[in-house]
């Protein structure tokens, strides 16, 4: 049996989403980052535009404490390697909130949400770039 949980963090031109999937006692998931890009990059040549990236992880949860380790992946596009690979975030999880701290002590405060809300906010990002 699969158990899904979605947490989101909305910033003016960026959306962070974390989806947890628990299957057969194993907790894993993906961090998604969608953001407005206003400068040309090697990959995004038309601006403004929306950049979407995803970063897989495994997680260990003990009560309300959680540790996320990004496992990374490789893309065939431009020999790109996931820059989050090996990164560890830890924090506190509840049914309504997820608070994670990265290695630089920056704290991310996510709230529980539904996929429809994510799509609404993503459409708002696209509206920003017209």
């Amino acid at each position: 049996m699969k158990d899904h949980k979605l947490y989101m963090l909305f910033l003016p031109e960026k959306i962070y989403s974390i989806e947890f999937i628990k299957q057969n006692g194993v907790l894993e998931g993906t961090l998604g980052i969608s953001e407005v890009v206003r400068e040309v990059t090697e990959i995004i040549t038309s601006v403004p535009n929306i950049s979407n990236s995803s970063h897989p992880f495994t997680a260990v949860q003990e009560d309300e404490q959680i540790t996320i380790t990004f496992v990374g992946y490789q893309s065939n596009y431009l020999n790109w390697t996931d820059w989050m690979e090996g990164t560890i975030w830890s924090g506190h999880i509840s049914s309504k909130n997820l608070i994670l701290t990265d290695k630089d002590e920056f704290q991310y405060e996510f709230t529980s949400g539904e996929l429809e809300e994510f799509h609404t906010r993503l459409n708002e990002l696209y509206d920003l770039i017209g």
Side-chain angles (χ1 to χ4, degrees), residues 9-16 33-36 125 128:
L9 169 60
F10 301 111
L11 301 173
E13 292 194 349
K14 187 181 285 192
I15 300 170
Y16 290 95
I33 304 172
S34 300
E35 63 185 314
V36 174
L125 280 187
L128 278 176

Side-chain angles (χ1 to χ4, degrees), residues 50-65:
I50 302 292
S51 169
N52 295 294
S53 62
S54 61
H55 309 278
F57 60 79
T58 60
V60 175
Q61 181 179 352
E62 294 182 20
D63 298 321
E64 292 188 347
Q65 298 299 311

Side-chain angles (χ1 to χ4, degrees), residues 69-129:
T69 303
F70 291 92
V71 295
Y73 66 92
Q74 294 217 338
S75 170
N76 292 330
Y77 187 72
L78 299 175
N79 294 322
W80 183 82
T81 301
D82 188 355
W83 56 273
M84 292 289 290
E85 183 175 1
T87 300
I88 297 172
W89 288 1
S90 61
H92 174 85
I93 187 168
S94 71
S95 61
K96 296 188 183 290
N97 297 305
L98 172 65
I99 300 171
L100 294 171
T101 303
D102 67 15
K103 65 180 171 67
D104 297 322
E105 300 299 317
F106 184 80
Q107 197 169 75
Y108 300 85
E109 297 186 29
F110 297 81
T111 55
S112 176
E114 300 295 327
L115 196 54
E116 293 78 19
E117 181 182 11
F118 171 80
H119 286 284
T120 298
R121 297 301 280 268
L122 186 59
N123 286 337
E124 291 173 1
L125 280 187
Y126 279 99
D127 289 344
L128 278 176
I129 65 172

Side-chain angles (χ1 to χ4, degrees), residues 20-75:
F20 288 100
I21 301 168
K22 189 171 189 175
Q23 183 173 336
N24 299 326
V26 176
L27 185 59
E28 56 190 10
T30 304
L31 165 69
I33 304 172
S34 300
E35 63 185 314
V36 174
V37 178
R38 298 192 182 278
E39 294 181 18
V40 172
T41 69
E42 188 175 358
I43 296 172
I44 298 178
T45 57
S46 173
V47 292
N49 210 328
I50 302 292
S51 169
N52 295 294
S53 62
S54 61
H55 309 278
F57 60 79
T58 60
V60 175
Q61 181 179 352
E62 294 182 20
D63 298 321
E64 292 188 347
Q65 298 299 311
I66 191 158
T67 301
I68 292 173
T69 303
F70 291 92
V71 295
Y73 66 92
Q74 294 217 338
S75 170

